[in-house]
Amino acid sequence: MATEIDQARLSKADRQSRIVAELRATPSLRVNELAGLLNVSTETVRRDLAELDQRGLINRTYGGAVRPVMFEPALVEREKLMVAERERIAVAAVQLVEANDILMIGGGATTTIFARRLAVECDYLTVITHAFSVALALSANPTHKVLMLPGQYDGREGLIHGPDTIEALLHYRAGKAFVGASGLTGEGPSDAGVGPGLIYGAMMRRAAETVVLADHSKFDRASLSVFGPWSERVLLVSDREPSDELKAGMEQSGARWMVG
């Protein structure tokens, strides 16, 4: 678990965001652990847990809280979590891109931060995406060419998916696909949604190399849809080295990792 916060007390919103982030890294936490971590009373923690439970972001238990099984908060919620870790991942990942590259970029909070950095640090990219947040971020740089995929719109995630999306992807090839993940196990990266997971799997098949952008809270966490296996064509960019169990699965398949 993270070390105790020494700075001035967090605001309510920041405190609750931190609780959700901690539960992504640790499956369950006790009230007294959270009180010590956040430097607040146990009563304050209980009120926070009650509100987060009502919003569906955690599951309350007697004396604490647990991470919802196979649950992924909406994009607007995730964008508030693990921000520093996602920024480090984006900084490292952008070094893998060169001018005039053809990329596929999946939806998600981390890939959106990555796209914002691409807009600042790279020029003349061709990007194929199904995520409006990614397209919007890249549009800040007029040298980039963005191709939006067709399909069914998912307002919760701000992205397109469905059979039409996969069919359109079959007409493209890319040097690299950059995708996020809800979970990472020895079997491969996975997503909480079946529809987006099918898109990410198609992107992996249509790109020469796949770069998975995921912070350490996804390690050893299984989500609903495993969208591709680890292989020598897959690179994980994270804010920490993979756990021993995850590392063993990746090494066996020849997959690589890089720490930002």
Side-chain angles (χ1 to χ4, degrees):
M1 191 175 70
T3 57
E4 184 172 335
I5 295 174
D6 297 324
Q7 64 267 33
R9 288 188 179 182
L10 300 172
S11 68
K12 178 181 174 181
D14 288 340
R15 192 173 63 238
Q16 292 186 356
S17 293
R18 186 69 188 186
I19 290 172
V20 175
E22 288 296 328
L23 279 172
R24 296 194 64 145
T26 305
S28 64
L29 288 170
R30 307 284 295 177
V31 168
N32 60 343
E33 292 176 322
L34 288 167
L37 173 68
L38 300 170
N39 192 28
V40 295
S41 68
T42 55
E43 289 77 12
T44 298
V45 171
R46 289 191 181 95
R47 287 194 295 269
D48 285 339
L49 295 182
E51 290 186 21
L52 291 169
D53 183 66
Q54 288 178 349
R55 292 163 59 192
L57 296 177
I58 66 161
N59 287 341
R60 285 189 73 187
T61 62
Y62 179 77
V66 297
R67 176 198 305 155
V69 178
M70 291 191 303
F71 174 78
E72 182 83 335
L75 179 63
V76 292
E77 295 283 354
R78 299 200 307 276
E79 286 180 328
K80 305 172 187 175
L81 307 174
M82 311 293 280
V83 176
E85 290 85 350
R86 297 183 201 273
E87 290 284 0
R88 291 202 298 273
I89 291 168
V91 168
V94 79
Q95 306 306 315
L96 304 171
V97 179
E98 298 179 357
N100 298 306
D101 274 352
I102 300 174
L103 310 177
M104 292 178 178
I105 303 181
T110 307
T111 52
T112 298
I113 292 175
F114 169 64
R116 291 172 187 154
R117 189 159 289 277
L118 286 178
V120 175
E121 299 192 25
C122 298
D123 291 318
Y124 299 103
L125 300 175
T126 298
V127 177
I128 303 149
T129 188
H130 64 139
F132 284 96
S133 60
V134 169
L136 183 62
L138 290 166
S139 69
N141 185 331
T143 71
H144 295 325
K145 180 179 181 180
V146 181
L147 305 177
M148 281 297 299
L149 295 167
Q152 179 181 339
Y153 178 61
D154 180 345
R156 187 173 186 271
E157 290 298 302
L159 53 77
I160 301 294
H161 63 86
D164 291 338
T165 319
I166 295 174
E167 174 66 25
L169 272 170
L170 297 179
H171 296 284
Y172 298 111
R173 281 204 174 274
K176 293 184 178 70
F178 289 85
V179 298
S182 302
L184 302 171
T185 66
E187 187 178 7
S190 57
D191 194 81
V194 174
L198 291 172
I199 303 304
Y200 306 150
M203 286 182 172
M204 290 183 74
R205 294 189 294 273
R206 301 304 295 174
E209 182 180 6
T210 298
V211 183
V212 180
L213 308 180
D215 64 75
H216 70 275
S217 70
K218 316 297 176 58
F219 294 173
D220 304 317
R221 178 184 178 190
S223 259
L224 179 63
S225 175
V226 179
F227 54 80
W230 299 115
S231 74
E232 67 279 356
R233 295 172 52 243
V234 180
L235 169 69
L236 169 65
V237 181
S238 188
D239 60 305
R240 294 185 189 174
E241 283 215 355
S243 63
D244 291 341
E245 183 177 349
L246 177 58
K247 188 181 294 185
M250 294 179 67
E251 287 178 336
Q252 185 175 13
S253 63
R256 299 154 290 136
W257 61 85
M258 182 171 72
V259 178

